[in-house]
Amino acid sequence: MLDCARLFENNSYQQTGSSQAVSLTRSESRQIAARYVEAFFELALEQKNAEKVDADLTALREVVAESSELQKLIHNPMASRADKAAGFAGVLVKMNAHEQTIKFVEFLAHKQRLIVLVDVAELFHERVVAHNDELTAEVISAKTLGDKQVQDIKAALKKAVGKDVNIVTKEDASLIGGVIIKLGSRMLDHSVAGKLNRMSAHLKAQSLATS
């Protein structure tokens, strides 16, 4: 993995040589971008900036898509790495981007990797979405649940599904007692009303079977 933190701190990546025109297939571009994204993401996550960096990179990707000047700058073999870094840093400053985002993009410029910027933005966003992919359970109860009850349910669900589960609580007096937990397409009914309904359905089925 790239040691981005060390590189950013001591600026050892900075070079002033001219860029070279490079042509990459989409597959090659994404493979290269993936290497940088993993390091960028881990550092941003460590410094609790992943969401902001994601928003910055997504916005920058849209700006680049609409700016022929920035596209020319990326592909101009006569522009130095320093000029490209400064150009994009200026754009990001105007966008009120986070300092870490600016350093990321400057790093790509000095590594002659602005050509994969679009893929970096896309893959970084995918990485953030994957990291935040938590399940949400709707917990319906007859009365307001206490904090401990909510935490107990959350812990039980995490043990059951193997990952964190966000809890959204709702109240429904018609339940009489207990709770109903809706997790995706699954529904766990532990309410008195639910038990009565299941008993009623069972008795009805028995009655039909004997009639």
Side-chain angles (χ1 to χ4, degrees), residues 10-73:
N10 62 25
N11 294 326
S12 63
Y13 60 85
Q14 295 189 7
Q15 303 178 46
T16 57
S18 296
S19 302
Q20 297 178 349
V22 178
S23 178
L24 299 172
T25 65
R26 184 65 190 282
S27 176
E28 291 171 336
S29 178
R30 287 180 70 84
Q31 287 178 7
I32 293 171
R35 291 177 53 233
Y36 292 95
V37 165
E38 190 59 30
F40 288 169
F41 176 76
E42 292 299 330
L43 183 58
L45 192 64
E46 178 184 325
Q47 299 182 7
K48 305 184 185 306
N49 297 324
E51 298 288 346
K52 174 57 178 171
V53 172
D54 179 35
D56 290 342
L57 290 175
T58 297
L60 180 61
R61 181 184 64 184
E62 295 172 355
V63 170
V64 170
E66 298 175 358
S67 173
S68 59
E69 291 301 314
L70 288 178
Q71 292 174 30
K72 289 177 181 177
L73 180 60

Side-chain angles (χ1 to χ4, degrees), residues 121-133:
E122 291 180 358
L123 291 175
F124 193 96
H125 179 67
E126 291 175 10
R127 190 70 178 80
V128 170
V129 170
H131 177 75
N132 293 336
D133 184 22

